[in-house]
Amino acid sequence: QCDLQGLGRNELGSSMTILALNTAGTFSGSYHTAVAATNKQILVSPRQGAQQHPSAKRHPTFGFTVQWQFSDSTTAFVGQCFVDHHGTETLETTWLLREEVLSHKDTWKATRVGTSIFTRIK
Ligand code: BTN
């Protein structure tokens, strides 16, 4: 079974915790990014999300948002949990990072997109 709970680290060195999943599949936790698009000092930031089929033995899809505490941006991640033949769990995600721009004329440059794989570190 793929378990989203615990800690995860991605290829950038960012880490996140997931506190207990409730029966509805929603969860909260924190995210410590290793990199930022701003020059401000990085702060651990809250994340909130939801997982499908919280009690089934499957490879669930999930999504979460991070409300950055040191910038005006928001990131949304969606992904799926997989287990390889060694039993190692990975969270394969795609993210969108929306930056606050002062005018809608700057919307074209306001969103970054990427992929990220998280593995369990604890
Ligand atoms: C900001 O720069 O305004 C907030 C931090 C953004 C960090 C991004 S979110 C997507 C990517 N994955 C990470 O772990 N960190 C960066």
Side-chain angles (χ1 to χ4, degrees), residues 20-120:
L21 209 67
N22 67 25
T23 49
T26 61
F27 59 83
S28 58
S30 62
Y31 198 103
H32 190 174
T33 184
V35 296
T38 69
N39 291 322
K40 300 200 178 123
Q41 191 196 334
I42 290 170
L43 298 174
V44 175
S45 298
R47 56 194 279 270
Q48 297 219 49
Q51 183 201 314
Q52 287 290 26
H53 310 299
S55 56
K57 290 189 197 231
R58 331 178 20 156
H59 298 95
T61 61
F62 60 87
F64 63 85
T65 58
V66 183
Q67 182 195 14
W68 301 109
Q69 297 297 289
F70 58 94
S71 85
D72 303 314
S73 304
T74 298
T75 302
F77 289 81
V78 288
Q80 188 170 356
C81 187
F82 291 102
V83 196
D84 71 13
H85 51 275
H86 300 294
T88 305
E89 293 158 292
T90 55
L91 303 178
E92 300 194 7
T93 68
T94 301
W95 53 262
L96 293 169
L97 169 61
R98 175 68 188 210
E99 171 189 343
E100 185 181 305
V101 289
L102 295 181
S103 161
H104 69 266
K105 288 192 196 114
D106 291 329
T107 289
W108 64 270
K109 62 176 178 182
T111 306
R112 293 176 171 84
V113 61
T115 59
S116 193
I117 297 181
F118 293 86
T119 50
R120 183 176 295 284

